[in-house]
Amino acid sequence: MRLTYGAASNVGLVRTQNEDSFVAGDGIYAVCDGMGGALAGEVASEAACRILMELGRQGSPADELREAVRRANAEILRRSIEEPGMAGMGTTLTAAVRQGDAVVLAHVGDSRAYLLHAGQLRQLTEDHSLVAELVRQGRLTLQQAAAHPHRSVITRALGTEHDVQPDVSTVPLEPGDRLLLCSDGVSGLVPDDRLEELLGSPGTPQEVADALVHEALAHGGDDNATAVVVFAEEGHVAPGDVEVIRFGPERRSSNSPPPPRGPLPGHGSIANAAPGWWRRGFRSRRLWKAVAIVILALVVGLAGLAVFNSSVYHVGTVDDQVVLYRGLPATVFGVRMCWVVEESRVSYSRLEPYLRQRVDAHELTTKEEGQRFLRSLDSQS
């Protein structure tokens, strides 16, 4: 069995920098989605991909992937502390390495891996994100998660803490199977049924990868979009053939003009019609109806905020002691939105700089991830 591949990446229709990176070729495939602002996210995702390209391929792929994740995490964490402008950077990582007639997956964050087998699409990875955790706990439906205002908050990423463990699994492949690795700029915009349709469509892996990214742009393109597509096919690589590893994408400079915002080929636009329609509809309503709608929206919004506030956690301090809070790190109308639910034995002032940075960030997380972080601090004290 041989594997053929294609890869595509686009900055999208809103962002000015592409912080995604990918690796494709020679049995190594990966997508990394960087974060951190300015150029920091781009630096983090590139660093992770370059370390993946250095895999020795001499031992167990699972062990080598775990070691690559460890090295990438340490490298990103070190640079975020030592280099100006890099503080707080991190990246997701979803990687696949061939092992005979299977691939070994390593996964951190909310980029995804999918398998199309016998025409059926299956998600191979679980998102390390706040909304995904709430879905697993039964607190949100998939539909609610898709529209949640904090759906981009991730609970695990390279460069965010001292010890990051990837999810590692082995996925058998058969001729005819198709593998997709993608950033959330694709999976977050393109519905699963459309992903299944496009991944199974005729064409080369490159044409399918291009179509997936194009579809993400057609659905708004509000994030960087990257797709790596791998086809499992009958046959073998011919002796002497060398498969070139692609590393990308090519970066668009920050002073380049933004991509066009007009409709994509084959997609209509209501940009000119919609504003006039909205104004006419609004004028036809009585003022009291408008006021009632505003009041109702306010009540619903406050109720939703209360529900959401009770479902999130963050790490902070009380009198130099590191603690886990339940609720948002904010004050609304003079009322503090969070309260302490667990205390550690660690003093904030004794933490290493990178750990103080993590505590100061007050990142939203789940109870389980917050407790895991406190335990890691206790074990180092």
Side-chain angles (χ1 to χ4, degrees), residues 36-301:
L39 297 177
E42 174 185 321
V43 170
S45 65
E46 282 191 2
C49 280
R50 291 190 185 280
I51 286 174
L52 285 171
M53 292 171 66
E54 297 171 2
L55 287 177
R57 314 290 294 281
Q58 301 298 317
S60 159
D63 291 342
E64 289 196 339
L65 280 169
R66 289 189 180 94
E67 175 61 15
V69 167
R70 186 199 65 77
R71 286 180 54 206
N73 184 62
E75 171 73 6
I76 295 166
L77 201 56
R78 179 189 64 78
R79 295 183 66 177
S80 72
I81 296 170
E82 296 178 357
E83 298 182 17
M86 298 293 114
M89 71 176 177
T91 185
T92 70
L93 179 147
T94 301
V97 173
R98 182 173 185 176
Q99 183 180 39
D101 289 342
V103 290
V104 179
L105 293 176
H107 170 68
V108 176
D110 65 349
S111 297
R112 289 183 179 178
Y114 293 90
L115 178 68
L116 186 72
H117 174 74
Q120 299 294 313
L121 186 71
R122 177 165 64 96
Q123 185 176 329
L124 300 174
T125 53
E126 286 192 348
D127 294 350
H128 300 142
S129 68
L130 178 64
V131 295
E133 184 63 33
L134 295 176
V135 169
R136 287 190 283 270
Q137 294 175 3
R139 299 185 185 183
L140 288 179
T141 66
L142 290 174
Q143 292 75 18
Q144 290 170 329
H148 201 282
H150 295 286
R151 60 187 178 276
S152 61
V153 176
I154 61 176
T155 57
R156 200 185 307 179
L158 300 186
T160 59
E161 55 186 300
H162 183 70
D163 182 32
V164 176
Q165 295 297 323
D167 294 342
V168 177
S169 59
T170 301
V171 180
L173 294 179
E174 298 178 5
D177 287 350
R178 297 184 175 187
L179 183 70
L180 167 65
L181 309 180
C182 62
S183 62
D184 67 336
V186 173
S187 60
L189 292 177
V190 183
D192 284 356
D193 58 348
R194 185 64 174 148
L195 283 178
E196 182 177 274
E197 179 184 357
L198 289 172
L199 192 55
S201 61
T204 66
Q206 185 59 53
E207 289 169 339
V208 172
D210 289 337
L212 286 161
V213 170
H214 187 278
E215 187 74 9
L217 301 185
H219 281 79
D222 61 5
D223 199 356
N224 307 147
T226 299
V228 173
V229 174
V230 182
F231 286 6
E233 301 174 339
E234 295 279 6
H236 302 279
V237 177
D241 283 356
V242 177
E243 190 177 58
V244 177
I245 298 180
R246 289 180 59 191
F247 172 75
E250 294 182 1
R251 304 294 179 185
R252 188 165 63 82
S253 65
S254 59
N255 57 3
S256 298
R261 297 296 302 273
L264 293 165
H267 295 271
S269 173
I270 60 169
N272 294 327
W277 174 88
W278 183 86
R279 286 194 295 270
R280 287 195 299 274
F282 183 76
R283 289 194 193 105
S284 68
R285 287 165 172 78
R286 296 181 183 273
L287 180 60
W288 67 267
K289 286 188 176 181
V291 173
I293 290 172
V294 170
I295 293 174
L296 178 61
L298 181 61
V299 171
V300 172

